[in-house]
């Protein structure tokens, strides 16, 4: 992804921030999108996670994700989930992505993406 596209993705996500925050469950902390979108590399990581979900029929659920290394939920890990309805299937298909970031000098970089069915 080019820097220009990453910046565009960041701008779209920042503009949608209030909408995205409204989709998170009340039991979880509000995701600090500005922290993840503060650099083109961070924006590209968030965009890759969103693209990894593919088609969604429901709003994206944004939460902080579980970090297996720490054994706890981490503010450096994003969990994105949604539901897709597939033609011919009775039940909707739930899918999610876990995006792990590292922050060097406060600048985010995507470390890994894990796709969960």
């Amino acid at each position: 992804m080019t820097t220009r596209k990453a910046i565009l993705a960041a701008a779209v996500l920042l503009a949608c921030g209030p909408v995205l925050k409204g989709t998170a469950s009340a039991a979880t902390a509000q995701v600090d999108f500005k922290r993840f979108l503060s650099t083109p590399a961070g924006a590209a990581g968030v965009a890759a996670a969103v693209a990894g979900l593919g088609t969604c029929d429901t709003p994206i659920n944004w939460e902080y994700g579980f970090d297996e290394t720490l054994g706890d939920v981490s503010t450096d890990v994003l969990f994105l989930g949604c539901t897709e309805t597939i033609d011919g299937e009775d039940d909707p298909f739930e899918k999610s992505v876990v995006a792990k970031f590292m922050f060097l000098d406060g600048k985010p970089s995507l470390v890994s993406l894990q796709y969960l069915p």
Side-chain angles (χ1 to χ4, degrees):
M1 177 178 281
T2 65
T3 302
R4 178 178 236 155
K5 288 181 182 176
I7 292 170
L8 179 60
V12 169
L13 288 169
L14 283 173
C16 295
V19 174
L20 297 175
K21 287 181 181 180
T23 64
S25 66
T28 61
Q30 298 290 327
V31 173
D32 181 4
F33 290 103
K34 288 182 183 179
R35 183 170 173 255
F36 291 93
L37 301 174
S38 62
T39 66
V46 172
V50 171
L53 281 176
T55 305
C56 293
D57 294 324
T58 60
I60 296 173
N61 178 35
W62 296 84
E63 299 179 16
Y64 289 117
F66 185 80
D67 186 338
E68 293 179 9
T69 306
L70 297 174
D72 201 358
V73 173
S74 171
T75 57
D76 292 347
V77 179
L78 288 177
F79 172 88
L80 296 73
C82 70
T83 304
E84 178 183 9
T85 304
I86 300 173
D87 290 338
E89 296 289 329
D90 292 335
D91 296 323
F93 180 67
E94 293 182 17
K95 53 190 176 176
S96 56
V97 175
V98 176
K100 185 174 183 178
F101 289 80
M102 72 175 175
F103 290 80
L104 296 174
D105 297 325
K107 297 177 182 176
S109 293
L110 181 65
V111 174
S112 67
L113 289 174
Q114 182 178 8
Y115 302 93
L116 307 171

